[in-house]
Amino acid sequence: MQWTADKVQEEVVKLLRPFNPKGIEITSDTDLSADLFMDSVAAMNLVMEIEDRFEIDIPISLLPDVNSLQDLVDVVLAQLSKG
Amino acid sequence: MSLFDKYNQVNARHDRLVAAGRDPFNVCMDRIVSATEAIVDGREVILVGTNNYLGLTFDPDCIESTVEAIRREGTGTTGSRIANGTYASHRALEQEIAAFLGRRSAMVFPTGYQANLGVIAGLAGPKDIILLDSDSHASIYDGCRLSGATLIRFRHNSPADLDKRLERLKDDSSSKLVIVEGIYSMLGDQAPLDEFVDVKRRHPSVELLVDEAHSLGVFGDNGRGIAEAYGVEKDVDYVVGTFSKSLGAVGGFGASDNPEFEQLRFTSRPYMFTASSSPSSVATAMATLSKIKSQPQLRKQLWENARALYKGLSDLGFPICAAASPIIAVKLPSEEAAVFMWNALFSAGVYVNLALPPGTPDGSCLLRCSLSAAHTPAQVQRVCEVFDQAYRAMKVWRDTQSAAE
């Protein structure tokens, strides 16, 4: 299927739910570490879920630059465009 | 702003840990009595977390040949092999390891950690792709980072996930290296190496590295590790291992049939720019390797002990993370429970490894035991009794805590 930025964001937010037990409102600016308290292990697990959902690979080297939801969506879009 | 500010959170966690009793990550053994016992604070402690699988650290023959090597070659080499030269004993050990594993060549490193750094960062470079098991040891992750390669993780012990990812990369012309471990150090679970090899065969240009750190001397009819146990050694391109577990020394190695493997001696920075292994480490590894070959009964004894502890703890109702193996990891419901039990075990004279997230898979809090061929049936039985007592004490403590809340 063709993924739009909005659709990617919607899917990523769904995948974020198990990592957001306090139900904090998620926007493009939400910081995964500071706002959702995700540690590096949780972040790696989330990445695997995202990889499965979009059928892409996200190399570990791209992760240090990912802070906000928007950063994550951008990485997904970039990897989708490679496929 | 201090350089150490970034550690505030982890430091606060460490303070909480220490406040609950002894520092589990800084136990000082006043005296080592044997492969399975030490004296701590004047009391005897049974060691069940040493990875001393074959119990060879006090073997009289190995000690004698090590002492003799120190007299002959001195206490240290004082430099790297490329600058200061290779000792004949380094070369002899490399030939011995290669012969034991049936490989064309082997390279020795000062530690197992450096063996992974040196082999991985030597083999892979910025234009290559490494696919690694997500539960890989820190030394594998660090070696991968040092290589500068593109790193893609696949789900732990999942050949299907690896296959899917290799399929996605089929049009990518980069060289690809897959890395798995024979047995994973925290949970003691084995890689399904035969299935990984099937995946590798479907993707012909891919090479496979297996870290046999915890499986060498433990698995296989000859103790060559998981690849031997599965009968797939020919499909494994690179083997990494350590001297600091079943071989009872300090050091590590890489081995391969690839004739180009020797190029790592002048291209791999962790090999080139570190002091070479000391004569004592080399002599010990040489001597203990010969024991692995000549005394298969040590492996048999190790497995008997492993099965006895597994059965003992299972019968007591403890949840164990993997099938019976010389690594037995007991899962605790919380960090507090694990820390309490670790302290209770230690106070009663049993030393196991406390393993907490993020160093463990799936956020598990573990009491990790590793068995040795040198453990006696009485020690194994005592460990089970102390686990039972510590668990009861933990339950009483937990009930008191919840009543107070």
Side-chain angles (χ1 to χ4, degrees):
Chain A
M1 75 178 281
Q2 273 297 45
W3 287 101
T4 61
D6 285 350
K7 199 77 188 139
V8 167
Q9 173 148 341
E10 197 183 310
E11 288 298 314
V12 173
V13 169
K14 270 189 215 165
L15 294 171
L16 262 173
R17 267 181 212 148
F19 299 90
N20 180 22
K22 290 182 181 161
I24 292 163
E25 193 192 346
I26 296 173
T27 69
S28 298
D29 296 331
T30 300
D31 187 298
L32 303 177
S33 162
D35 299 330
L36 297 185
F37 305 103
M38 283 180 76
D39 60 21
S40 57
V41 174
M44 296 281 235
N45 291 339
L46 170 65
V47 164
M48 283 224 159
E49 299 294 332
I50 292 174
E51 289 175 324
D52 279 352
R53 179 66 190 87
F54 295 99
E55 295 180 352
I56 54 171
D57 293 302
I58 301 178
I60 296 176
S61 55
L62 299 180
L63 299 181
D65 294 330
V66 172
N67 296 306
S68 66
L69 173 63
Q70 187 62 55
D71 298 337
L72 193 52
V73 170
D74 290 345
V75 165
V76 173
L77 287 167
Q79 296 307 105
L80 281 169
S81 70
K82 281 189 181 173
Chain B
M1 185 79 179
S2 147
L3 286 169
F4 290 89
D5 284 353
K6 58 182 166 288
Y7 302 130
N8 284 349
Q9 261 189 327
V10 71
N11 191 42
R13 186 180 176 201
H14 184 254
D15 286 348
R16 282 198 303 278
L17 253 185
V18 177
R22 185 180 282 275
D23 182 350
F25 305 120
N26 196 17
V27 173
C28 177
M29 322 244 173
D30 300 323
R31 192 159 68 82
I32 305 292
V33 179
S34 70
T36 60
E37 295 156 299
I39 303 288
V40 180
D41 297 341
R43 287 184 307 115
E44 266 192 20
V45 174
I46 304 174
L47 305 174
V48 202
T50 57
N51 302 325
N52 193 353
Y53 297 122
L54 301 180
L56 288 170
T57 47
F58 280 80
D59 181 277
D61 299 335
C62 298
I63 290 175
E64 269 321 301
S65 58
T66 302
V67 170
E68 195 190 305
I70 294 176
R71 293 197 197 287
R72 197 176 55 239
E73 297 177 18
T75 51
T77 64
T78 68
S80 68
R81 288 175 67 173
I82 58 163
N84 299 51
T86 282
Y87 285 24
S89 54
H90 290 132
R91 190 161 288 166
L93 177 59
E94 288 173 340
Q95 284 164 355
E96 199 61 32
I97 291 167
F100 175 64
L101 295 173
R103 298 281 173 179
R104 184 186 179 110
S105 65
M107 286 171 68
V108 165
F109 293 83
T111 67
Y113 176 86
Q114 278 173 290
N116 266 329
L117 248 58
V119 173
I120 296 170
L123 290 173
K127 290 182 179 161
D128 306 320
I129 299 177
I130 297 177
L131 295 106
L132 73 159
D133 186 288
S134 58
D135 279 6
S136 291
H137 187 263
S139 58
I140 293 176
Y141 273 99
D142 291 355
C144 288
R145 285 205 183 91
L146 191 63
S147 75
T150 298
L151 307 182
I152 294 174
R153 300 185 327 149
F154 55 89
R155 286 191 187 274
H156 175 54
N157 271 350
S158 173
D161 194 42
L162 172 65
D163 192 31
K164 192 172 72 182
R165 288 166 192 274
L166 284 170
E167 192 59 33
R168 285 204 286 259
L169 293 167
K170 67 175 188 296
D171 297 327
D172 190 315
S173 60
S174 312
S175 301
K176 298 175 194 82
L177 177 67
V178 170
I179 304 179
V180 299
E181 295 179 40
I183 181 167
Y184 285 81
S185 63
M186 281 295 123
L187 303 186
D189 49 338
Q190 283 176 40
L193 202 55
D194 51 345
E195 295 174 44
F196 277 121
V197 163
D198 284 344
V199 171
K200 188 200 161 198
R201 287 178 184 156
R202 283 201 288 279
H203 302 273
S205 64
V206 170
E207 296 193 83
L208 175 64
L209 182 154
V210 178
D211 180 346
E212 298 266 18
H214 289 270
S215 35
L216 187 89
V218 173
F219 283 85
D221 288 346
N222 298 288
R224 295 200 297 265
I226 280 281
E228 185 193 9
Y230 277 104
V232 295
E233 287 169 292
K234 286 289 157 222
D235 293 281
V236 173
D237 301 283
Y238 308 99
V239 185
V240 172
T242 180
F243 303 157
S244 60
K245 297 178 179 20
S246 59
L247 287 169
V250 178
F253 67 86
S256 179
D257 282 326
N258 187 337
E260 292 168 315
F261 188 65
E262 286 285 317
Q263 293 173 17
L264 297 193
R265 293 192 195 273
F266 50 89
T267 54
S268 170
R269 296 169 64 87
Y271 175 86
M272 295 158 68
F273 300 110
T274 189
S276 57
S277 302
S278 71
S280 67
S281 288
V282 169
T284 304
M286 193 77 156
T288 49
L289 190 57
S290 126
K291 291 277 172 180
I292 287 185
K293 287 189 276 191
S294 65
Q295 297 191 11
Q297 66 270 27
L298 290 174
R299 209 156 42 251
K300 190 165 162 279
Q301 186 61 51
L302 167 66
W303 277 95
E304 276 174 23
N305 291 345
R307 281 189 275 266
L309 184 64
Y310 184 90
K311 182 171 187 315
L313 294 178
S314 300
D315 288 351
L316 287 167
F318 285 104
I320 297 172
C321 297
S325 89
I327 297 172
I328 294 176
V330 175
K331 196 168 182 171
L332 273 291
S334 68
E335 180 164 327
E336 291 73 19
V339 171
F340 183 95
M341 262 198 71
W342 183 88
N343 275 290
L345 287 166
F346 200 94
S347 303
V350 171
Y351 175 67
V352 302
N353 310 123
L354 174 67
L356 300 174
T360 53
D362 304 324
S364 313
C365 297
L366 308 173
L367 294 171
R368 175 192 178 275
C369 307
S370 58
L371 273 301
S372 171
H375 282 122
T376 62
Q379 283 177 322
V380 174
Q381 194 187 338
R382 176 70 187 147
V383 171
C384 291
E385 286 164 9
V386 173
F387 256 89
D388 191 31
Q389 289 161 11
Y391 186 70
R392 287 167 200 276
M394 190 271 287
K395 275 206 303 197
V396 171
W397 169 78
R398 207 170 50 183
D399 292 346
T400 320
Q401 296 287 107
S402 26
E405 276 167 10

